Amino acid sequence: MTINRRQEMKERGEKRKAEKEAFRKKLSSARKKEKDLQKLLRERNSFINLVPVAIMAVGDGKIVEINKMVERELGYSSEEMVGLPFIDFVDPDSREAVEVIHGKEIAHESAPNQYETNLIAKDGSISRFDVRIQKVRHAGRRADFEHRRRRRQE
């Protein structure tokens, strides 16, 4: 092996070592950021679940997040509701009116920012909710609607 070849191999080894160290630093930084984000998410989830009203975020017509109060009021877990169309939980007698309001919201037309509707619980019972529409950002995307339970109907 020539001296030039040895020098070239040594330089490659040093370059790889430096690249490996840079990768370790990036990985460590990414892990720390992920840990910080998980902590922030736990704190936010803790807060949203302490609020004594049912809160449901809806984006593009689908449920993107609910709090524990929604789970208690309707009997569904977050896993069962998130990702499903909000309208699927609206009582059939109320759907047309709700679809009109949501259609106007999506089309940026004048629509009420508060209304009442009936939502279907897992056990089939109907709960009356006071719905307040509030545009927010959720996971970097637009989401809206806050729902508060008013009274249970038989």
Side-chain angles (χ1 to χ4, degrees):
M1 192 181 279
T2 66
I3 294 176
N4 286 341
R5 182 76 174 139
R6 281 189 213 152
Q7 183 63 29
E8 192 177 296
M9 289 177 68
K10 183 179 177 184
E11 288 172 0
R12 277 190 201 163
E14 289 172 357
K15 183 179 176 183
R16 285 186 182 155
K17 187 177 179 180
E19 288 172 348
K20 189 176 178 181
E21 185 59 31
F23 177 76
R24 277 190 198 150
K25 286 181 180 179
K26 283 183 180 180
L27 183 60
S28 177
S29 175
R31 284 181 178 155
K32 183 182 180 331
K33 285 179 184 176
E34 181 181 10
K35 193 175 181 180
D36 292 345
L37 286 172
Q38 286 175 349
K39 180 182 176 192
L40 184 64
L41 185 59
R42 279 192 308 275
E43 289 170 356
R44 186 191 59 81
N45 283 341
S46 176
F47 173 76
I48 197 171
N49 286 316
L50 291 174
V51 177
V53 295
I55 298 175
M56 181 184 302
V58 177
D60 296 327
K62 294 189 178 184
I63 298 168
V64 293
E65 184 172 2
I66 65 171
N67 70 350
K68 295 290 183 194
M69 186 64 82
V70 173
E71 290 181 354
R72 277 191 293 263
E73 296 294 334
L74 296 179
Y76 293 99
S77 69
S78 177
E79 292 78 18
E80 291 173 298
M81 293 185 78
V82 170
L84 295 177
F86 167 72
I87 203 72
D88 288 359
F89 296 92
V90 176
D91 178 50
D93 294 339
S94 303
R95 279 191 187 145
E96 187 176 336
V98 171
E99 286 175 334
V100 167
I101 292 169
H102 289 225
K104 286 181 177 182
E105 270 296 314
I106 291 168
H108 303 289
E109 296 175 8
S110 179
N113 64 356
Q114 182 177 347
Y115 63 92
E116 291 183 0
T117 193
N118 296 322
L119 297 182
I120 306 166
K122 189 172 186 175
D123 65 7
S125 63
I126 304 294
S127 293
R128 187 79 171 164
F129 279 76
D130 176 32
V131 178
R132 297 172 191 253
I133 300 173
Q134 177 68 47
K135 294 184 182 354
V136 296
R137 304 281 307 163
H138 179 272
R141 299 189 65 195
R142 186 180 147 250
D144 39 44
F145 312 129
E146 175 186 312
H147 305 273
R148 287 190 197 169
R149 180 177 183 266
R150 286 188 22 151
R151 64 184 174 275
R152 194 155 188 99
Q153 293 181 338
E154 301 304 321

